[in-house]
Amino acid sequence: MNQIMGEPQGVDFPISAEEIRGLVQPNHVHRRAYSDPAIFALEQERIFGRLWIYVAHESQLKNPGDFIRTRLSKFEVLVTRHHDGNIYVLHNRCPHRGARLCMVDQGSNRAFSCPYHAWVFRPDGSLASVPHPKSYPADFDIADRRNHMQRIANVQSYRGFVFANLSDNPPPLIEHLGPMTDVIDNLIDRAPDGEVEMSESSFALEYRGNWKLHMENAADIFHPTFVHSSSVMPARRAPANASILDQDQTREMLMANGFGFKEWEGIQLKGLDSGHTYMTAFYDSGVLSRQSEDPVSIEYRRRLAEKIGEERAAQVIGMNRFNNIIYPNLIINAQYQQMRIAIPLSVDRTLVRIQCFRLKGAPDGIFHRAVRFISNLGSPASMIFSDDVEMLERCQSGLKTDTGPWIDFSRGLDSDDKGADGSVSGAASEMPMRVQFNAWVRHMTTEAA
Amino acid sequence: MLPYQTLREIELFVFKEARLLDEGEFEAWLDLYAPQGIYWMPSKPGQTDPLNVASIIYEDHAILAIRVQRLLEARALVLTPMPRTVHMVSNIEVLNGEADSQEFEVGSAFLCTEIQGERHRIYTGRQVHHIARDGDSFRIRRKRVALMNCDGVHAPMTIPI
């Protein structure tokens, strides 16, 4: 009787655990992992339907009634702040006739009102009123949960980052995040006032490829030298400090993708059993990082040190991790307060959202750099990401056909170092993709939620 | 009312910009910009602040020069094959400027069709050119391109609009 409408139904998938295991070898993955709609449907159930998935940042939901619209597995959901101060995640669907309720990505509403027959819902999803109540039968109860917007049972936050989970009894969010809490901590620690705020700066890009291609690309430091050469070369030839807009940030960022074997030496990749991966010792090599001591950086460091002391400020600013990937689909770069989410739409379509945070208490110039950083990296007209997307689409295109069904992930296989707290490898290794696929197989072969 | 001659000069300048993009004459296109000229494509409708809100493009001559060189690099993956465009500009109105002005603010509507391989795309919206007289022609001080779907979901963009 507690069966709430729209709950993800157990679907009888014709894919056995054995079959799934057969798609992933130590050094190869079968193309079906990227191109089979049945595999995609199973991912929506067993990965996006069971793991903790990032849905919103609390700073987007400051006041009761504030909401954002996003996707959780195959569902469109609203993340809301209710009058009790709590955050709820609701299916964007009127329980009366099934109409989509909210048609915008973000806003503030005292209530969600269905325009069809005027059922009105509070931000926690409960039904506030229906017009002409006497025409409903005697046993119609507006307090009955079946008449409410359906709630996602599990919603937890870690320091303002809100995650939702569709499964019945998930482990605590903190367990899922594991050591990746470090990067969220570091992002917040960078704010002199100890708080970050999601800015309105964001981009949404759709590419014609599987979501995993993007997550692999974000863990891949081997490709930039090749893929981005068309922006590296012109940036190298361009005169320094010629722009009146950005203190040379764009030119430096574009050039930074032109690193070679020497810079690779310094970078280390880390992969955890949970599927999380990141790059360390990243900025030491000069990659993507502004090393000069300019007035904005000096003022920022001064403000941070004033709050937390010189030594701690140096530690916080010096944290040296890039493309921190929280499995399955969240990427955080604390240094430029930037975040990306890959939202799977279908087996061969993915939406990437790119956003940035404002560090409270930091000089405006620091935020202007974060804004410039996401424009350069993630705008639809980005000279960097557009070439990445082109490669992701070419991969998807190639993986459609069964010509040689196996793709290769063997680079670095002989030299990875498997320690107690995860795998470590050099920059050239494909270890992060192997780690992602190990987690993938584990989740995809777990039958019971 | 602006003399027809001045209006026509301005129109022809705006058409020329569109044609240079269609012809792939990106360096000549960039030459239409003043040394500190700015190309701005906001990411939000009505966006007034390019520093605190990220833009799809907010670049001055120096950064645009890198963008143009990339368009000319044979290795730009997203430009293989090179997209072909037709930029249509219409509804031109001079919003600010008199017969003897040195600077004009020019509003127009645009429709850009881009074809790359089997892929067709359409970009549309309104744009405002700030242009200043320079010899017997003009230079662009600032161009603001307001895509109708600027805050929507996009695929990668290649050739400027």
Side-chain angles (χ1 to χ4, degrees):
Chain A
M1 285 310 285
N2 285 332
Q3 175 84 39
I4 299 173
M5 290 161 289
E7 195 90 324
Q9 304 294 315
V11 180
D12 191 15
F13 289 99
I15 304 172
S16 68
E18 225 30 64
E19 212 175 333
I20 299 280
R21 279 187 208 100
L23 298 177
V24 178
Q25 301 173 352
N27 52 354
H28 289 98
V29 173
H30 195 279
R31 67 167 196 93
R32 273 183 67 197
Y34 300 89
S35 60
D36 184 341
I39 296 277
F40 179 80
L42 198 61
E43 286 175 339
Q44 291 288 51
E45 294 286 325
R46 294 187 177 172
I47 293 177
F48 292 90
R50 287 190 193 159
L51 299 185
W52 286 103
I53 304 297
Y54 171 85
V55 289
H57 190 262
E58 284 181 16
S59 61
Q60 295 171 294
L61 306 164
K62 283 186 191 135
N63 301 306
D66 291 353
F67 68 88
I68 71 152
R69 185 175 70 162
T70 185
R71 267 179 89 96
L72 178 62
S73 179
K74 55 195 165 192
F75 307 109
E76 186 176 81
V77 295
L78 302 174
V79 189
T80 66
R81 172 86 69 179
H82 187 53
H83 302 291
D84 62 5
N86 291 327
I87 289 171
Y88 294 90
V89 182
L90 310 168
H91 286 271
N92 185 21
R93 181 178 189 272
C94 178
H96 178 217
R97 291 288 187 84
R100 236 168 140 198
L101 275 170
C102 174
M103 300 301 286
V104 295
D105 283 336
Q106 187 158 15
S108 193
N109 266 349
R110 284 186 55 81
F112 295 103
S113 170
C114 181
Y116 202 4
H117 304 93
W119 286 27
V120 177
F121 304 90
R122 300 182 187 91
D124 66 350
S126 61
L127 181 59
S129 67
V130 295
H132 205 251
K134 66 184 177 195
S135 62
Y136 288 84
D139 65 349
F140 180 85
D141 180 2
I142 66 166
D144 187 335
R145 285 285 294 277
R146 284 176 303 182
N147 297 325
H148 297 182
M149 287 171 73
Q150 190 197 317
R151 239 182 235 174
I152 309 300
N154 307 291
V155 181
Q156 289 181 18
S157 289
Y158 180 76
R159 300 195 68 185
F161 288 72
V162 185
F163 292 73
N165 189 310
L166 283 162
S167 66
D168 288 336
N169 285 302
L173 169 64
I174 193 94
E175 223 169 87
H176 171 69
L177 295 176
M180 300 306 280
T181 51
D182 290 357
V183 68
I184 296 177
D185 291 341
N186 182 251
L187 173 64
I188 298 163
D189 290 345
R190 283 172 186 266
D193 291 352
E195 214 179 314
V196 297
E197 192 171 55
M198 175 72 79
S199 77
E200 62 174 310
S201 292
S202 70
F203 295 108
L205 266 120
E206 190 182 318
Y207 68 88
R208 299 179 302 179
N210 188 269
W211 65 278
K212 295 190 290 299
L213 293 169
H214 180 255
M215 304 318 290
E216 289 156 11
N217 194 58
D220 179 341
I221 201 66
F222 199 90
H223 78 271
T225 309
F226 312 111
V227 169
H228 302 304
S229 68
S230 72
S231 53
V232 172
M233 303 314 274
R236 278 189 185 154
R237 289 196 300 266
N241 294 309
S243 171
I244 53 168
L245 294 181
D246 74 343
Q247 294 98 44
D248 232 16
Q249 186 183 346
T250 302
R251 194 184 63 92
E252 286 179 7
M253 247 182 105
L254 296 175
M255 280 200 301
N257 276 316
F259 48 86
F261 305 126
K262 186 168 71 70
E263 285 82 6
W264 283 355
E265 293 297 315
I267 300 172
Q268 233 183 28
L269 307 180
K270 287 275 283 184
L272 309 174
D273 288 345
S274 45
H276 310 322
T277 69
Y278 57 90
M279 304 172 186
T280 64
F282 195 77
Y283 298 103
D284 291 346
S285 56
V287 175
L288 278 185
S289 157
R290 183 173 195 81
Q291 303 294 322
S292 58
E293 282 292 286
D294 55 279
V296 174
S297 306
I298 291 166
E299 171 60 11
Y300 165 58
R301 187 178 285 262
R302 190 193 66 74
R303 287 197 203 177
L304 190 62
E306 203 175 87
K307 293 284 173 74
I308 61 175
E310 289 284 351
E311 195 183 330
R312 178 80 187 118
Q315 275 172 9
V316 166
I317 294 171
M319 191 195 198
N320 209 347
R321 278 167 48 169
F322 187 71
N323 274 11
N324 298 274
I325 304 180
I326 297 177
Y327 195 81
N329 69 335
L330 179 65
I331 307 169
I332 298 176
N333 284 315
Q335 168 141 357
Y336 284 96
Q337 300 90 54
Q338 173 249 340
M339 185 169 87
R340 259 184 289 172
I341 315 153
I343 300 175
L345 301 176
S346 68
V347 70
D348 57 1
R349 279 175 58 223
T350 305
L351 179 72
V352 182
R353 272 193 198 287
I354 302 171
Q355 298 169 299
C356 74
F357 292 94
R358 186 191 280 274
L359 301 175
K360 284 197 175 174
D364 289 345
I366 291 290
F367 180 60
H368 298 162
R369 272 178 204 169
V371 164
R372 172 62 67 180
F373 187 88
I374 70 162
S375 281
N376 285 338
L377 189 78
S379 147
S382 162
M383 289 184 260
I384 301 172
F385 197 43
S386 56
D387 280 330
D388 288 304
V389 166
E390 174 67 21
M391 282 323 302
L392 308 187
E393 295 194 343
R394 288 194 199 181
C395 286
Q396 189 70 31
S397 206
L399 291 167
K400 269 184 201 153
T401 53
D402 214 8
T403 347
W406 296 97
I407 60 170
D408 182 282
F409 280 116
S410 66
R411 214 172 50 236
L413 195 60
D414 293 341
S415 51
D416 293 351
D417 186 8
K418 178 109 177 77
D421 60 342
S423 299
V424 181
S425 77
S429 178
E430 281 163 327
M431 176 276 290
M433 298 83 184
R434 292 191 286 273
V435 162
Q436 288 174 353
F437 265 109
N438 285 342
W440 186 84
V441 168
R442 196 170 63 249
H443 296 302
M444 290 286 279
T445 53
T446 305
E447 310 242 339
Chain B
M1 182 87 178
L2 220 59
Y4 179 76
Q5 176 66 26
T6 311
L7 177 61
R8 190 65 185 149
E9 275 181 84
I10 290 170
E11 282 181 344
L12 289 176
F13 178 75
V14 172
F15 294 153
K16 180 180 177 184
E17 190 206 2
R19 176 173 51 80
L20 291 173
L21 288 169
D22 291 343
E23 289 175 344
E25 297 290 341
F26 301 115
E27 285 171 308
W29 170 74
L30 186 59
D31 282 344
L32 302 181
Y33 281 74
Q36 301 209 323
I38 288 176
Y39 181 104
W40 185 21
M41 185 187 283
S43 73
K44 308 286 175 206
Q47 182 180 339
T48 54
D49 182 346
L51 289 179
N52 289 290
V53 180
S55 301
I56 297 174
I57 300 178
Y58 181 63
E59 293 175 357
D60 63 357
H61 195 287
I63 306 175
L64 288 172
I66 298 176
R67 188 174 283 279
V68 160
Q69 288 307 309
R70 176 168 173 275
L71 287 166
L72 301 171
E73 280 273 341
R75 271 179 291 195
L77 301 173
V78 73
L79 298 168
T80 321
M82 195 64 184
R84 298 170 194 166
T85 60
V86 175
H87 291 71
M88 310 257 284
V89 182
S90 168
N91 306 17
I92 293 181
E93 287 178 280
V94 175
L95 306 172
N96 255 311
E98 309 296 333
D100 56 351
S101 297
Q102 290 303 300
E103 292 186 31
F104 300 89
E105 192 182 327
V106 185
S108 59
F110 65 85
L111 177 67
C112 173
T113 307
E114 181 188 279
I115 295 182
Q116 184 183 30
E118 83 273 18
R119 194 182 314 200
H120 289 212
R121 289 196 181 123
I122 287 179
Y123 301 100
T124 190
R126 298 196 64 92
Q127 58 191 0
V128 175
H129 287 77
H130 290 253
I131 57 174
R133 285 204 179 276
D134 183 72
D136 56 2
S137 184
F138 300 94
R139 297 263 180 177
I140 300 170
R141 291 270 175 92
R142 193 172 91 143
K143 176 177 167 179
R144 184 182 190 275
V145 181
L147 280 179
M148 210 159 67
N149 60 338
C150 63
D151 56 347
V153 178
H154 296 278
M157 298 175 184
T158 53
I159 293 174
I161 288 159

